[in-house]
Amino acid sequence: MVLSSAASKSDESIHSTFASRYVRTSLPRFRMPENSIPKEAAYQIINDELMLDGNPRLNLASFVTTWMEPECDKLIMASINKNYVDMDEYPVTTELQNRCVNMIAHLFNAPLGESEAAVGVGTVGSSEAIMLAGLAFKRKWQNKRKAQGLPCDKPNIVTGANVQVCWEKFARYFEVELKEVKLSEGYYVMDPAKAVEMVDENTICVAAILGSTLNGEFEDVKLLNDRLTEKNAKTGWDTPIHVDAASGGFIAPFLYPELEWDFRLPLVKSINASGHKYGLVYAGIGWCIWRNKEDLPEELIFHINYLGADQPTFTLNFSKGSSQIIAQYYQLIRLGFEGYRNIMENCQENAMVLKAGLEQTGRFNIVSKDDGVPLVAFSLKDNSRHDEFAVSEFLRRFGWIIPAYTMPADAQHITVLRVVIREDFSRTLAERLVLDIEKALHELDAMPCKKDMENKITKPAAIAWKKLVENSKNKGIC
Ligand SMILES: *Cc1c(COP(=O)(O)O)cnc(C)c1O
């Protein structure tokens, strides 16, 4: 009697203080478990496993926001149960998305009257925005070709080889050929002259990037606009431009208001930006803005009856959360132009601190530009002994997540490391990172060189080293 009550008591205390009862055996990974477990145990188990994820704040690989103010976190949690698509039930949320579209369209200098509604839509990110923009270009081009009795089965888009993977996705999913302008050593963005040369009668648009993911550089959209205008005049085509401003859309208006990259250029018909990058909202929000109603073919728009009024929608998904839209509106009115400018200036200054620190080591070439996205991309001057992948792997031991990757064609022989500077990356962290990079280099210098490892050292050591390097090579960048 006594024994059994003691046993059940200890069982009880184990299960209420820790989920031990449920973690003695490994959890099922393929089939849903037969029985329920207490909520505390489920929480504990999942929370513990998640500890092994990297720390988002030290994830310098990503452009995506990892910190917001507690007041905004509160708004997000309060709206986590709202389905955005229920516009009739949540008219205020719909109104907030429309206000965001208007504000962002003005920021991009859309030709709008003071209280004229802009044409645009909130999306899950720039990828969805790019799918929609691409579809609009494809449909417009097809309609025009059909009307002229011309074939319209071989559409293409001209981009630089530095495009983000979502353009390749668009091309494959929607059957459009991607014609890529090759890069070269020392020039890692699309050359506007070469891009215009590649334009033909089947080109639905030229996509320029404001803030290449590889090195943060802004492509010269104005030059592209001018060259393409000349070509259009000569050929009679009217090939338009899309600007992929995933990062740059929330940087250029604040840091470089004079730079003409947006709707000030007549051929720019649509622009996407990631609200969750320098729009300063957590992952799950992007924007696509069109210049005019005419640039978004009517047949792609679905009309939802919204409180008796007409709410046009153009998205790939139906249901989605409302929180990110509300959070974007919070940032726009909370920070205002002044707040965004201060944050972007601060990021830029921290990028310069990091760049100076890296230059001082004497070991790196800087491949990013000072007037692009606040990031530092750099490669080793000498990577014959140890390469950038080894540096990246070493830095993980200090907790830093810094990707290494090779450039696309024709610059595949160049490998770079990239540190994205976000709002929450402080000056102190920048200084600390330089110290840790120095430490990593120092330790790597003391290690046998990779070729020696592969050739002379024992087989297990060589295999371990190869695995280390391969692992770091396969880490994607975002
Ligand atoms: C991040 C990025 C994308 C993809 O954007 P998501 O918002 O992550 O879908 C597209 N293009 C560029 C240039 C980017 O930097």
Side-chain angles (χ1 to χ4, degrees), residues 63-64 124-128 130 162-167 209-213 244-247 272-277 285-286 478:
F63 293 93
V64 177
V124 177
S126 278
S127 302
E128 187 190 5
I130 283 165
N162 52 317
V163 281
Q164 212 265 359
V165 65
C166 69
W167 284 95
I209 308 171
L210 199 75
S212 171
T213 29
D244 176 357
S247 298
N272 69 275
S274 294
H276 54 215
K277 290 185 178 173
I285 182 90
C478 40

Side-chain angles (χ1 to χ4, degrees), residues 67-73 75 99-100 103 254 279-281 325-343 423:
W67 181 85
M68 294 188 79
E69 288 172 329
E71 287 73 13
C72 192
D73 287 352
L75 285 172
R99 288 185 203 165
C100 290
M103 288 184 193
F254 307 109
L280 306 177
V281 179
I325 286 166
I326 293 165
Q328 182 75 78
Y329 186 66
Y330 172 92
Q331 291 293 46
L332 291 172
I333 64 158
R334 147 81 174 132
L335 295 170
F337 194 92
E338 179 194 22
Y340 270 95
R341 190 183 49 213
N342 284 343
I343 289 168
E423 181 191 4

